[in-house]
Amino acid sequence: SSPVSETKMSWKFQLGPMAQHTVTVEKKSKSSKIVTLMVDGKLLVESAARDFDCDWDDDQEDEAEDREHGRWACKFRFLGERSMKFKVFETDMEGNPLETTDLMEALSPEQIKYTKVCVVSLPDLKDLTSALLEIDGTEFNQMKEVVSIPEDNIVCDPEVLQMQYGLTVPT
């Protein structure tokens, strides 16, 4: 996280191997009650705390959520899709390999879609350097920094991919 000023806070993070995101919360001035939340440069919410009805999972938990997330909070989700494709040789009607290749998705439909729940909260509306971002219940400052590690291609039997990673190699 990088506090820009008492009226602006910004977080940059990566979901998966390529999806980089920026979440920014801002007020026009320190005395303003209007809070602006931008996700990837696009306006998501602009409102005062009293105008922004946070619909948590259960109305009875609202007071607990207010204590947990502060005076202003916005809950939103990132929706994404994973993909892992194998380059395979095409076959003729008898199953003989051809010289042409095609790409086949290796993940099942259940493995492809994912959701990341985010909560931006402001414990102190007068000082946005106190703003918090949680992703799937983990505070941003508790997350590991992305480190790019060069890796070799995986070379193993298809059975190992199935047992270790749940991946079925297309045949």
Side-chain angles (χ1 to χ4, degrees), residues 5-57:
S5 69
E6 289 183 338
T7 59
K8 187 174 183 179
M9 180 70 154
S10 189
W11 300 270
K12 291 184 181 191
F13 55 94
Q14 184 171 321
L15 298 175
M18 293 180 253
Q20 295 185 2
H21 298 284
T22 302
V23 173
T24 304
V25 65
E26 182 174 14
K27 289 178 17 175
K28 304 286 186 228
S29 70
K30 195 172 178 179
S31 63
S32 175
K33 295 183 187 222
I34 304 296
V35 177
T36 302
L37 178 62
M38 306 281 286
V39 177
D40 296 334
K42 295 185 173 135
L43 178 66
L44 182 65
V45 172
E46 188 167 57
S47 95
R50 63 179 157 65
D51 298 330
F52 192 49
D53 183 20
C54 295
D55 184 17
W56 303 105
D57 295 332

Side-chain angles (χ1 to χ4, degrees), residues 52-147:
F52 192 49
D53 183 20
C54 295
D55 184 17
W56 303 105
D57 295 332
D58 184 314
D59 286 339
Q60 295 175 346
E61 295 178 6
D62 282 349
E63 287 184 30
E65 291 285 354
D66 285 346
R67 285 192 300 276
E68 180 183 348
H69 294 295
R71 297 185 57 207
W72 187 98
C74 180
K75 188 181 207 179
F76 62 97
R77 300 173 195 272
F78 282 101
L79 304 176
E81 292 186 353
R82 297 177 184 94
S83 181
M84 179 179 292
K85 297 193 177 187
F86 286 97
K87 186 175 185 180
V88 296
F89 285 97
E90 295 179 306
T91 57
D92 64 16
M93 297 289 266
E94 283 101 36
N96 300 313
L98 302 173
E99 290 189 26
T100 57
T101 59
D102 195 9
L103 293 176
M104 293 189 66
E105 180 60 56
L107 301 178
S108 69
E110 300 81 38
Q111 292 172 309
I112 291 176
K113 295 189 184 290
Y114 69 90
T115 300
K116 297 291 182 184
V117 177
C118 302
V119 178
V120 174
S121 57
L122 307 177
D124 183 356
L125 287 172
K126 293 183 177 165
D127 182 5
L128 296 193
T129 61
S130 69
L132 300 171
L133 170 65
E134 290 179 14
I135 301 174
D136 281 347
T138 302
E139 285 190 26
F140 183 82
N141 61 2
Q142 300 297 314
M143 294 181 181
K144 297 177 185 174
E145 192 168 327
V146 174
V147 178

